[in-house]
Amino acid sequence: MKHFTQEGLNPSERTLDLIRKIAYTYRVMKLADGSTASLCLN
């Protein structure tokens, strides 16, 4: 059985960079009818 350590759970810097890029460009708009729309800006 494989043992998982805390070190094994750390994402790589490349993965963190991708998450940062998505988080920076992700927006949620509230529309006039009260619903929301998600967008990713480039």
Side-chain angles (χ1 to χ4, degrees):
M1 181 163 95
K2 186 175 180 178
H3 295 279
F4 294 98
T5 63
Q6 187 64 29
E7 187 176 303
L9 297 176
N10 293 336
S12 69
E13 191 59 38
R14 186 173 177 191
T15 302
L16 291 174
D17 188 45
L18 177 64
I19 293 169
R20 287 183 195 110
K21 286 179 182 178
I22 293 170
Y24 181 75
T25 60
Y26 181 81
R27 299 289 183 264
V28 176
M29 283 183 7
K30 188 170 186 180
L31 303 176
D33 66 356
S35 63
T36 58
S38 303
L39 354 145
C40 192
L41 308 171
N42 284 332

